Amino acid sequence: MGRHGWVSGALRWRLTALLGVGLVALALVVTLVSTLPGDGGSTAGTTPDGDKVHGTPATPPGNTESAVGWGFTHTQYSADEGDAEAVGRVRAELAGQRRPVPQIQHLMGWGAGNPEPVEGHYDFSEMDRRIDFVRESGGIPVVTLCCAPDWMKGGEPGADSTDWSRRALETAPDPDHYDDFARLAATVAKRYPDVRHFIVWNEFKGFWNTGQGRWDYEGYTKLYNRVYEELKKVDKDIMVGGPYLVMDSVHPRQTMYASRVKGPWGSLDQRVLDAFDYWNEHKKGADFVVVDGAGYTKDDELLPDAFRATAKFTAVGEWIRARTGDLPLWWAEYYVEPGDSQDDRDDWSEPHRVAVQASGLMAMAAGGASSGFYWNPQKRGAAACAGCLWTPTQRADGGTELPMLKLIGRFNAEFGPGTRFEKVAVAADDRPHVRVLADDKAVLVVNTLDRQISTKVDGERFDLAGYGVKWLKR
């Protein structure tokens, strides 16, 4: 799902004519080539003052709590570009939410260019635009510190040399460049002082120990600790979290790599749990804990079915909370529908998708999570976009709210950080096929069947369409 095939702007040549008039006329023509001495790579379009504050950040900074609520991640295509009126509609929709919607933007890739093509030379132009959008839409900006510029991982430096292949993008920094990456993170924090929440890296990309057949949790933890230290030097109140591990699971009958954390949905991969425990024991500190994962197994099996597979989110949350205590738990990504070879998820109807997504959100909250981010599968200009949050902003009639954004916005408003959940009465006959979550003001009800039912929840009887999602007031 990375940003592939992105091409930086063409190399710019600047011609400056210096004219002096005196007794002897002198005309000088100087050609400035945007390269560093010693073929260090093109610096076209970059600036040496990357830590200069961009735009007009919120003053004072926004949310300073370690839990932010339920939102989404900006991916390769988002609502920061397109038809002006369509962009405005999305911005207004988000700004009008009852509770600010947290929004993640990655440092490099997924809509952002190479932030430091050459050491000490920065290009935050695309990231600036994304942060501006989050600000203008009234959201809570969150930055995922991934991925790393090429020169930090054995590639070529230069504004025109970035390798956007998936293999290159998902390569971790060389250990000798951990300090450089940490300094880049600090530069980002200084540039956007209203970003108070940083996630260190993404899914342990590039941190696999092939020789030992396990995650290189020692390497990741070293990188995490260096970034944590540098961010805290910028501002001790900045919130930092990790390890952003994928909580993989295997089939219940599989014994290889199976752990004791299991259920009808499968068994968590012991190698993932080992990596988490190492990070948790050796981290310098953390303000929140971050994981991601799917209800289905590594082999894309939804067990026993799509709805009951979401119980995995609850089990993961309980296991993590038992080890991290009061640290807020975030799901940086969560998936309930397996993707195809192109990682597209469009086999279900939208009501089916929203119903299972709602069940997933409920299961995460039941496991103690206080924040979660939907990976927005936005496409550029496509008339149909399964699971997207809004219609494409490249179209003049685009920017209209879709069912997934409606669900996330309402869930964030009703069940934000600090929510105390309460038990709710459900008719005995309805319990097998109805999912509920409630606090003292609202009840979320989901029909897991593809046919209409009549159900009684919280003392109220009503009809609910197949895969229907309904909110009740208390």
Side-chain angles (χ1 to χ4, degrees):
M1 291 180 289
R3 176 175 184 154
H4 312 314
W6 183 87
V7 181
S8 64
L11 179 65
R12 298 179 178 85
W13 295 71
R14 294 189 299 167
L15 181 64
T16 303
L18 302 177
L19 301 176
V21 180
L23 295 176
V24 179
L26 179 64
L28 300 175
V29 178
V30 180
T31 302
L32 302 178
V33 183
S34 298
T35 56
L36 291 179
D39 193 27
S42 169
T43 60
T46 67
T47 177
D49 58 347
D51 59 358
K52 180 181 179 181
V53 174
H54 167 70
T56 307
T59 306
N63 188 300
T64 56
E65 300 298 323
S66 49
V68 293
W70 307 86
F72 64 88
T73 295
H74 291 279
T75 53
Q76 182 173 0
Y77 303 116
S78 196
D80 57 311
E81 292 185 289
D83 179 85
E85 292 187 3
V87 169
R89 279 190 282 272
V90 178
R91 189 166 51 229
E93 182 65 43
L94 292 171
Q97 297 291 325
R98 285 162 47 195
R99 184 190 294 269
V101 179
Q103 303 171 39
I104 288 178
Q105 175 57 49
H106 282 67
L107 170 64
M108 178 177 173
W110 300 283
N114 189 334
E116 192 178 3
V118 176
E119 184 173 3
H121 292 261
Y122 306 92
D123 181 1
F124 287 111
S125 55
E126 292 179 310
M127 193 168 181
D128 287 347
R129 187 173 64 242
R130 288 285 173 92
I131 295 297
D132 284 342
F133 180 84
V134 179
R135 290 170 175 171
E136 293 165 1
S137 63
I140 300 172
V142 178
V143 169
T144 294
L145 294 167
C146 182
C147 295
D150 295 52
W151 61 273
M152 294 187 190
K153 53 194 180 186
E156 294 295 324
D160 55 356
S161 301
T162 302
D163 184 349
W164 286 109
S165 67
R166 180 169 183 173
R167 178 180 179 181
L169 188 65
E170 296 186 354
T171 297
D174 295 336
D176 289 345
H177 288 294
Y178 286 176
D179 286 347
D180 293 316
F181 188 79
R183 283 190 288 268
L184 174 57
T187 298
V188 174
K190 293 174 184 177
R191 186 174 186 84
Y192 311 114
D194 51 340
V195 177
R196 314 301 290 169
H197 303 82
F198 290 87
I199 301 173
V200 182
W201 209 243
N202 173 306
E203 295 185 336
F204 266 48
K205 286 178 168 60
F207 287 100
W208 178 255
N209 187 323
T210 303
Q212 298 186 30
R214 63 169 178 82
W215 292 108
D216 176 17
Y217 40 74
E218 299 96 338
Y220 169 80
T221 304
K222 288 178 181 177
L223 176 67
Y224 173 90
N225 284 339
R226 288 298 300 119
V227 172
Y228 179 89
E229 291 169 337
E230 287 300 313
L231 289 175
K232 292 295 185 177
K233 288 178 184 177
V234 175
D235 186 340
K236 63 179 178 58
D237 292 328
I238 284 176
M239 305 289 172
V240 186
Y244 203 153
L245 274 163
V246 183
M247 305 305 287
D248 284 328
S249 57
V250 297
H251 193 281
R253 292 193 298 271
Q254 182 173 324
T255 57
M256 183 177 291
Y257 309 130
S259 72
R260 294 182 179 180
V261 184
K262 60 182 60 180
W265 44 266
S267 175
L268 292 184
D269 191 319
Q270 184 61 49
R271 296 170 297 178
V272 175
L273 304 189
D274 291 343
F276 186 93
D277 280 339
Y278 182 91
W279 169 82
N280 191 41
E281 181 179 350
H282 295 89
K283 67 184 184 300
K284 291 286 186 181
D287 299 291
F288 54 93
V289 180
V290 187
V291 296
D292 88 348
Y296 44 86
T297 69
K298 293 175 65 175
D299 294 321
D300 292 346
E301 299 167 295
L302 285 165
L303 305 171
D305 57 56
F307 287 97
R308 286 183 287 177
T310 62
K312 172 183 172 181
F313 298 131
T314 302
V316 169
E318 292 173 344
W319 183 86
I320 290 174
R321 297 277 288 173
R323 282 154 177 75
T324 59
D326 294 333
L327 283 181
L329 171 59
W330 293 21
W331 285 85
E333 302 174 41
Y334 54 91
Y335 302 95
V336 298
E337 178 183 4
D340 61 18
S341 61
Q342 301 300 314
D343 209 31
D344 290 327
R345 294 168 172 81
D346 53 11
D347 289 341
W348 295 353
S349 69
E350 205 64 12
H352 186 189
R353 178 175 297 107
V354 172
V356 184
Q357 286 283 349
S359 296
L361 289 168
M362 297 160 79
M364 285 184 278
S370 56
S371 303
F373 294 84
Y374 180 71
W375 190 273
N376 187 14
Q378 206 70 37
K379 296 180 180 178
R380 188 179 182 87
C385 189
C388 290
L389 299 179
W390 50 76
T391 55
T393 53
Q394 285 73 29
R395 302 166 63 95
D397 61 348
T400 301
E401 177 190 52
L402 291 173
M404 276 305 305
L405 179 57
K406 186 175 183 180
L407 170 65
I408 292 170
R410 184 70 182 269
F411 197 91
N412 184 51
E414 301 291 0
F415 302 139
T419 297
R420 294 182 177 275
F421 295 104
E422 300 181 354
K423 291 184 177 181
V424 58
V426 179
D429 292 344
D430 296 331
R431 290 171 191 164
H433 48 259
V434 171
R435 299 285 182 273
V436 296
L437 185 69
D439 65 1
D440 60 339
K441 296 181 179 179
V443 182
L444 173 59
V445 186
V446 176
N447 177 10
T448 66
L449 302 178
D450 61 356
R451 59 175 175 80
Q452 179 175 303
I453 62 172
S454 175
T455 186
K456 186 175 183 181
V457 177
D458 207 28
E460 179 180 348
R461 178 162 291 283
F462 53 88
D463 291 335
L464 195 56
Y467 296 137
V469 175
K470 184 177 180 64
W471 291 90
L472 307 177
K473 293 184 178 180
R474 307 187 85 177

